[in-house]
Amino acid sequence: MLTTSEDVFYEPLDEGVFRATEHTVGPWSDKAQHLGPVAALLVRAVERCAPDERRAVRRVSVDVLGPVPVDEVTVRAEVARPGRSVELVTAEIAASGRVAATARAWRMLRSDTTDVAHDDARRLTAPEHCPPMPLPEGWSGGYANALEWRSAASEPAEPGRARVWARQRMPLVAGEEPSPLQRLFAVADCASGVSSSLPFERWAFANTDLTVHLSREPGGEWMGLDARMTLGPDGAGTTRTVLHDAAGPVGQGAQALLPTRL
């Protein structure tokens, strides 16, 4: 993993204060961050908020309130609803005094359910057996190049459907090894981009949110997306995704899309 100060998504400046690097830049503006690093940084705050090994994050919803600038940002988290078996942690990221994105995470008690565990979601071809995936035409921004991509498609491409693997080429925060959960959220928001049936040069399709439900805790560096985009006739769209690590499915993601003609 690269460890120089330039090869990271965020440089820490103070407790809860970070400087976003060019690697966070998203596809719609060179002044706004991609939601992937933003979501991962919010999850990092959740993980560090009153940590308890007895509990694990089972659902995270991220809402985008406005563009997150490629600049200095402040992140904070708190336990909003404590509980014996279930608790709610909230987090927010702000820039120049404005909250730009929020997260709500449910943490639940761990228990042994090995004897009843099952998931019938189709597995992706293992990343080591998948070829490199060239970036699609129209993909731009430092974030797209900050990940290593592989194609997990085993059939001819179909509009609005994609199966891919991705992993970070660099740390989320300088001097730290990202947790598997941070790695998952750094990739999960890409589902709408990789599965898009709309040409980037003619359409924008920013998502207002990202919700992830986890059926188990992720592990490793590679995170997989089995994503499907659906577009309606009156200006709405959604993306539904089965999320994977190298061992198999770990949960499901959903995004609400606003398709807009450029």
Side-chain angles (χ1 to χ4, degrees):
M1 175 176 290
L2 299 172
T3 56
T4 67
S5 61
E6 290 140 4
D7 293 319
V8 296
F9 289 111
Y10 298 100
E11 297 173 352
L13 302 178
D14 201 347
E15 184 66 29
V17 183
F18 306 87
R19 178 180 291 112
T21 73
E22 62 184 9
H23 301 296
T24 65
V25 174
W28 311 120
S29 168
D30 60 4
K31 299 185 184 332
Q33 297 185 47
H34 192 285
L35 185 57
V38 170
L41 195 62
L42 287 167
V43 163
R44 175 185 178 275
V46 167
E47 291 180 311
R48 289 168 171 249
C49 180
D52 185 341
E53 286 299 318
R54 298 173 301 166
R55 296 182 175 89
V57 173
R58 302 305 190 195
R59 191 219 71 176
V60 179
S61 60
V62 178
D63 285 300
V64 183
L65 307 182
V68 184
V70 184
D71 203 342
E72 184 176 310
V73 296
T74 302
V75 182
R76 59 179 296 271
E78 64 180 0
V79 178
R81 186 272 193 192
R84 185 172 299 176
S85 58
V86 178
E87 65 182 12
L88 177 66
V89 180
T90 61
E92 65 180 32
I93 185 168
S96 300
R98 176 185 63 85
V99 176
T102 62
R104 293 168 61 84
W106 285 104
R107 294 196 297 214
M108 303 180 187
L109 278 180
R110 293 183 171 98
S111 64
D112 186 0
T113 53
T114 306
D115 58 330
V116 294
H118 67 91
D119 192 327
D120 60 1
R122 175 180 173 181
R123 289 176 175 254
L124 298 178
T125 303
E128 62 267 24
H129 301 307
C130 294
M133 185 187 85
L135 293 181
E137 185 176 350
W139 277 32
S140 61
Y143 170 79
N145 291 300
L147 300 182
E148 179 182 355
W149 299 91
R150 294 189 182 179
S151 173
S154 56
E155 300 154 358
E158 56 181 293
R161 184 72 181 271
R163 297 183 180 94
V164 304
W165 289 101
R167 69 173 173 181
Q168 296 171 222
R169 297 183 188 273
M170 60 194 64
L172 179 70
V173 174
E176 295 181 11
E177 179 71 21
S179 71
L181 191 63
Q182 293 168 30
R183 290 180 180 277
L184 181 70
F185 275 84
V187 171
D189 186 65
C190 298
S192 59
V194 298
S195 66
S196 174
S197 57
L198 299 172
F200 277 77
E201 65 273 13
R202 298 205 302 272
W203 288 89
F205 43 90
N207 51 298
T208 57
D209 67 329
L210 168 66
T211 300
V212 170
H213 287 89
L214 294 162
S215 53
R216 67 173 176 85
E217 295 174 75
E221 295 186 354
W222 283 103
M223 299 299 161
L225 307 173
D226 187 347
R228 183 184 296 274
M229 176 186 280
T230 302
L231 297 170
D234 63 348
T238 60
T239 302
R240 295 164 294 154
T241 311
V242 179
L243 300 161
H244 296 249
D245 64 12
V250 299
Q252 299 184 28
Q255 298 160 288
L257 307 177
L258 176 64
T260 305
R261 296 179 191 271
L262 299 177

